[in-house]
Structures are given as structure tokens and as C-alpha cells.
Amino acid sequence: MSPHASNLGIEMVNLLGAFLLLLAFAMLAARRTLSLIRFFAMQGFFLSASIFIVAFLSGETNLYYSALFTFALKVILLPYILKELTLRLDIQRDIETLVNVPVTMILGIGIVVFSFSLAAPISEAASTVTRSLIGVGLACVLLSFLAMITRKKAMTQIIGFLAMENGLLFSATNATYGMPMVVELGIALDVLIGSIIFGIFFFQIRETFESLDLKFFEKLKEE
Amino acid sequence: MLVFFVLGVPIFSSAVMAFTGHRRWASHLNAFLTLGTFSASLVLALEVLRTGPILAWGETFYVDSFNVFLVSLTAFVGFTTALFSGPYMRIEEEKGRVGARILRLYHSAYQIFLFTMLLALLSNNLGILWVSLEGATLATVLLVSLYRTRASIEAAWKYFILCGVGIAQALFGTILLYFAAEKILGSGGTALLWTHLFQIRFQLEPTVLKIAFVFLLVGYGTKVGLVPLHNWLPDAHAEGPTPISAVLSGLLLNVALYALVRGKILVDGALQSNLASHLMIGFGLLSMVVAVFSMIRRKDVKRLFAYSSIEHMGIATFAFGLGGPLATFAALLHMTVHSLTKSSIFFSVGHAAQIAGTQQMEQIRGLMKRVPRLGWGLVLGAFAILGMPPFGVFASEFLVLTMAMKEAAWATPILLLCLAVAFGVIFFRVQNMVLGDASPDRLSHPPALFPVFVHLGLVLLLGVFLPPFLAHWYQQAALFIG
């Protein structure tokens, strides 16, 4: 077994996993762009904290770097970029009109049940100390996916997209103690370039459609 | 060292193009640089043909018969598309649709796109394969919205979001794959390396691999354009500039299918059952059926051929699903000929749309009279893609059909029906576009007809006579994919 495996540590990671899932639900229900960004930053924080604890429990030095990275990218840089964009595009007061929050929530619960049952055979095969959390990671991925489908604003879709990546990273850490360093760096690079591109995109959309509301996106539906 | 050249030239070129992409001579330089990439890839291919699989830079890159043919194909179509893109973009520039800044972005992103695809093919690491496929999406997103029209921005957004979401599923699949491999190979770098994974494929945990493959199929399937995940594809093809439609259709879809097939080899080994095959057969057939019936109501010519790409990727996926050396051989051949034919068609269609000033098929008339050689290029391209002998598509489709009759007889009528519907629709539409009365026309700049006919010539050659070294090469790859 790994050097520092202790019940307390495992309980901590479990708790953080629960927070992550809770925040995924919160994002599903959140209406205001700024609160969504805040939830996203919090999710990033809990994610990096959980990676840090797993690093301590398992003694994998790579994971410390990964935790540091995640913190820099998901807690500081991306929320900053998102907030800056929101202010500069002057959409901080935008309110998403969500249809049927209760139905979305029930769907979300269904997704969690599905993820856990799908992850059960995987967890049994895992040898990591935190293996029971693979289901949580998968649930976060699918919940963010659901959040993206139910949104109509460009900014909120992107936040859902980034939150999805959080869920993936969480699964990777808990199933395997993280992917090889070069792959994790590559993924981080993709996320970073992706965020620059959607930043450019927001301005293009705004310039052409005079709004960031995707309900104006209808031309391509027909032909 | 060769691998370094193949990857280094596009990276270097993209940096050069970022500064000089708006100059008069930029398109020539662009073509010249892609010629460099192509030459390097040819030398690499000869090397592999002579000595067998190569590992380069430790175990970072791996070149075998399967990917080296895709590498040369990618570099070749990258080169001819650069040749086509020169005159095409010149005409667009004269129409005032693109400016200096946009041309710099265009040329630079084009090279990065080539780089990411080549990296995806050459990398030995399945994680890097994922990273570079995502990179390929990112490189082309801004190219799809190049014209900054409402429709193009919408198409690019759809492309970005759908492919992003899709490929996130593939990452989950890759994580699961790593997870299964790590228990055998131990943590650290080697558990995602293809060469190691291939050796232990019989020992991988079957349940985990089963779930992993489903995620990989959904993820990479989105990029292949498999129905029901194909929604981004017609929009991105129709709204972006035509050289980009050509490389998306001719190259990116192939690379995504390549990623999926790599996954399939591992799953087949671990499962000892036909799950992956059944899934691929199902998705392939569904894609064909939906694509050909969607073609009927299309009004936009690039959209029509985008659906035809979905159909042909469906055929290739179906053939890989059938499995066995012969069907796999057919699938590889089909990937090659489809890529060559479809990009040639996009070249002709791009110029045709420039002459007519619209992509609406109803308003494109009398191409044979307006620019005869272009009209012929489109007609021959259409014949080739419809699987008329003696073109190469006929050979590959015939092989797929024969194998289908043997392995999955129930699927044969569906295949034939799809081919017939596609034939009816495309034949009729192309006939309307090329025939009819019109006066001779001239573009402000002579059209690039050379790439159109080079591609068609190669497809013809592959249909009439498959060079022995090429046949041997496909067989090697097919045996290994199995």
C-alpha cells in the first residue's frame, strides 16, 4: 500500500468529491453568469485540493505538479479570463431563463445513478486508494454536459465545457493517479488555447449578432 | 530524424506564415513548404517500406505500415490543397471577402492543422493522439468562421462545441484505457504507449475495455462524422472556405477514424468477442442510410458533398467493423480513394461556386460551357465518388460489398440501397450543374485545375492498377489490424 494511506485522507477526498458533485448540481441550476464563474472556480479549487491529497496519500510526486497546475489554471487564470470577458462584453447582468429546473434536477439525479452503476465494475478493478470516486468524476462530466445542453448563452455553454474537463481530470486522478505528465501538459495546453479561441469567438459572435444569446443561431437549422 | 522533418516543417512554416501570410507570394511559399513536408513523408514511407516499423526519439514516435500510408496521404493532400488554395484565395481576396490579417491567420492555421494531424498519426502515445486531435479542432475552428458571416460563425461555434464535447468522451475512454493498462505495465510513461499496449492487449481487463471503447467510439466517432453525432460536419464544410472543406473531409475524418481503429485493435484483443465490430458495423450502416437520405433535400452544393463524406466514412467504418484482412484492406483503400476523390470534388465545387457567386445548386448552371475543363473535373469527380468503374472507389466499394455478402449478408441490401440513392441524387444534381446553356466565363484569376486532375488521375490509377508495393503495404497494415 502507498506510504501515507490513511482513513482520514481517504475520507477527505471523498468529501471533496461530494463537493465537486454538489457544485456540478449548483451549476445546473445557477442563473447568473457571475455566480456560474464563481462555482466554476470553487470546483477548480476542490479539484486541486483533492489532487493534492491524493498526491500525499499515494506519494506520487507527479500529482503535486498536477495539483499546482490545476490550481493555477482552473482557480486563478480561467476564472479571471472569464470574469474579464464578462465585464468587457458587459454581460454580467445577463440572466439565463432556465426552463424547468426541477426536471433538469431529476434528470441530473438519474445521470448520477447511471454513472455510479457504470463505474461500479471499473472501481472494482481499480487498485488506487480513492477508487470509489470514479463514478463521481463520470457524473460530473455528464452533468456538465447536461448543463451545456440546457443553456442558450455562449458564455454559460463554455463554462459547462470547462467544468466537463474538471470531471475528467478528477476521474483520471482517482482511477490512475493521473495520466502521464506529457499528456496532462498537452491537455492543459489544449484547454488554454481553447479558452483563447472562445474569447476571440465571443467578440466575433457579438460583432455579428449583437448579442451572445444563441437563440439567434437559427439560420443553419433549415438547410 | 525523418519524423522530425515531417513534423518540424509544418511548425516552422506556420511561424513563417504568421508573419508573411498576407504577401503576394505567400501562397506559393505555402505550397512549397507543404511540398517539403510531403517529400519528407515520402522518404519516411520508403524507409518504413524497406525496414519495417520504426521507433523514433526513444519511444515517442512510432511509424508502422498502418499510419505511414496515412501520413503520406495527409502530406500529399495537404500539398495539393495548398496548390489549390493559392488561386482560390486570390479570387476570394479580389472579391473582398478576406483581408491581409485574415490571410495571415489562414495560412498559419493551415500549417498548424497539418502539424496536429501528422502528430496524431505519428505519436506512439494514445494520450498525445487525443491531444493533437483536439488541437486539430482548435486550429480549424477559426478557419471555419473565416468569412465572419452569421452562418459561418454559427457553424464554427457548433463545430467547436460539438467536437469539444465529443472528444471529451474520447478522453474519458483514453483514461479508462490507461487505467486498464497501468495495472499490467505499471504507472509511468509506458502505459499509454501504443507499442506496449499492443503487446499486452490480451491481458487487459475486458469489462473496463468494453466501457472504454464505447467512450472512444462516441468521442472519435463525433469527429469521424458518424450519425447521430454528425451535426457539425455539413455546417462546417459548407460555411468555411473550400480548401478547408477539402482538408476536413479528405484528412481530418481519416485521422479520427485511424484513432478509432487503434482503439478497436486493443479492444478486440482484450475482449475476444465481436463487440467493437458489431458497434462499428451498426454505426457505419446508420451513417450511410441517414447521410444518403439527407442528401435528397440539400440545396447547397458543399453541403451535399459533406453528406457524401459522412456516407463514405460510414462505408469505411462498416468495413473495419467486418474485420478480417480483406475487409480491412478494402477499408484502407476506401479511405485513400475517398480522400483523394472528395478533395478533388471540393476543388472543382469551390471554383464552380466562385463562378456562379453562390453555393446554391439551382443557380449553378452550364459549367461545361462556362469553364469546360472545370465542368469535366466535376463530372469525372462525381463519377469517381459514385463508384463508377474504372475509378478506385469502385474497387474498394466492390470489395466491401463482396465481403459484406460473405460476412454479414443481411447488410448487403442496405449497402446497395444507399449506393443507389447516392448515385441518383448526386448524378442528377451534377448533371444539372454542368449542363445547360451559358456563355464562356472567366474568373479573375485562372482556376487551379492541376490538383483536381492529379487527384482524379491517382484515383483512376488505383482503380486500374494497384502498384505491387502499395498492395503489399495495405496487406501488411490489414493483417496487423485484422
Side-chain angles (χ1 to χ4, degrees), chain A residues 1-6 54-61 64 129 177:
Chain A
M1 210 61 203
S2 29
H4 307 285
S6 69
V54 175
F56 181 72
L57 292 178
S58 65
E60 297 269 332
T61 31
Y64 286 112
V129 289
Y177 294 144

Side-chain angles (χ1 to χ4, degrees), chain A residues 11-24:
Chain A
E11 287 306 313
M12 280 296 286
V13 181
N14 278 333
L15 184 67
L16 289 172
F19 279 142
L20 222 62
L21 202 56
L22 196 65
L23 279 167

Side-chain angles (χ1 to χ4, degrees), chain B residues 13 67 106 167 169 204 221 227 242 275 279 311 323 372 394 459-460:
Chain B
S13 317
N67 62 13
Y106 168 80
I167 209 150
Q169 313 300 319
L204 295 168
V227 174
T242 308
L275 173 90
L279 281 173
E311 181 213 345
F394 170 76
V459 175
L460 188 66

Side-chain angles (χ1 to χ4, degrees), chain A residues 125 157 190 201 204 208 223, chain B residues 131 148 183 298-300:
Chain A
Q157 279 198 350
D190 273 347
F201 239 118
Q204 286 187 5
T208 330
E223 158 47 349
Chain B
V131 169
R148 306 283 158 84
K183 287 203 300 182
R298 291 312 116 192
K299 298 194 179 83
D300 182 309

Side-chain angles (χ1 to χ4, degrees), chain B residues 68-333:
Chain B
V68 80
F69 105 87
L70 280 171
V71 167
S72 358
L73 182 68
T74 302
F76 176 70
V77 176
F79 165 56
T80 48
T81 306
L83 282 181
F84 161 72
S85 131
Y88 182 87
M89 291 316 271
R90 180 69 56 79
I91 297 169
E92 295 287 289
E93 202 182 347
E94 274 157 17
K95 284 185 173 177
R97 292 187 79 180
V98 291
R101 260 184 61 209
I102 289 188
L103 276 176
R104 281 214 304 268
L105 168 75
Y106 168 80
H107 284 122
S108 175
Y110 181 80
Q111 292 288 353
I112 292 189
F113 177 55
L114 281 185
F115 166 75
T116 51
M117 280 192 299
L118 291 169
L119 179 63
L121 291 169
L122 288 170
S123 174
N124 190 17
N125 188 322
L126 293 183
I128 297 297
L129 169 63
W130 183 89
V131 169
S132 35
L133 257 180
E134 170 76 356
T137 314
L138 296 175
T140 37
V141 161
L142 289 179
L143 292 181
V144 170
S145 71
L146 200 71
Y147 295 140
R148 306 283 158 84
T149 58
R150 283 186 164 220
S152 70
I153 288 180
E154 187 180 337
W157 181 261
K158 217 167 160 183
Y159 176 44
F160 185 37
I161 292 292
L162 279 176
C163 280
V165 169
I167 209 150
Q169 313 300 319
L171 180 58
F172 195 78
T174 312
I175 292 172
L176 290 182
L177 200 62
Y178 177 62
F179 161 68
E182 191 208 17
K183 287 203 300 182
I184 299 159
L185 293 171
S187 64
T190 59
L192 267 180
L193 294 184
W194 167 258
T195 36
H196 292 246
L197 283 168
F198 185 67
Q199 274 161 12
I200 57 145
R201 66 191 190 284
F202 299 111
Q203 304 164 36
L204 295 168
E205 182 78 37
T207 21
V208 179
L209 266 260
K210 213 185 286 176
I211 302 172
F213 184 72
V214 172
F215 276 98
L216 288 177
L217 181 66
V218 171
Y220 290 135
T222 310
K223 290 216 91 154
V224 180
L226 295 180
V227 174
L229 312 154
H230 65 292
N231 260 327
W232 63 272
L233 194 144
D235 294 336
H237 280 63
E239 304 304 335
T242 308
I244 298 309
S245 320
V247 279
L248 281 181
S249 233
L251 303 179
L252 184 65
L253 307 186
N254 274 354
V255 178
L257 188 56
Y258 161 84
L260 187 58
V261 172
R262 286 274 189 212
K264 177 184 180 277
I265 299 172
L266 295 179
V267 176
D268 279 347
L271 250 54
Q272 305 294 340
S273 79
N274 292 327
L275 173 90
S277 297
H278 290 318
L279 281 173
M280 283 177 83
I281 288 178
F283 271 97
L285 278 179
L286 182 67
S287 308
M288 288 175 67
V289 173
V290 172
V292 295
F293 284 102
S294 311
M295 273 185 215
I296 297 175
R297 294 182 56 202
R298 291 312 116 192
K299 298 194 179 83
D300 182 309
V301 61
K302 278 165 80 179
R303 227 164 253 269
L304 175 76
F305 285 111
Y307 276 102
S308 153
S309 291
I310 300 177
E311 181 213 345
H312 286 278
M313 286 334 262
I315 296 180
T317 311
F318 173 80
F320 277 124
L322 285 179
L326 211 53
T328 310
F329 177 92
L332 293 172
L333 183 63

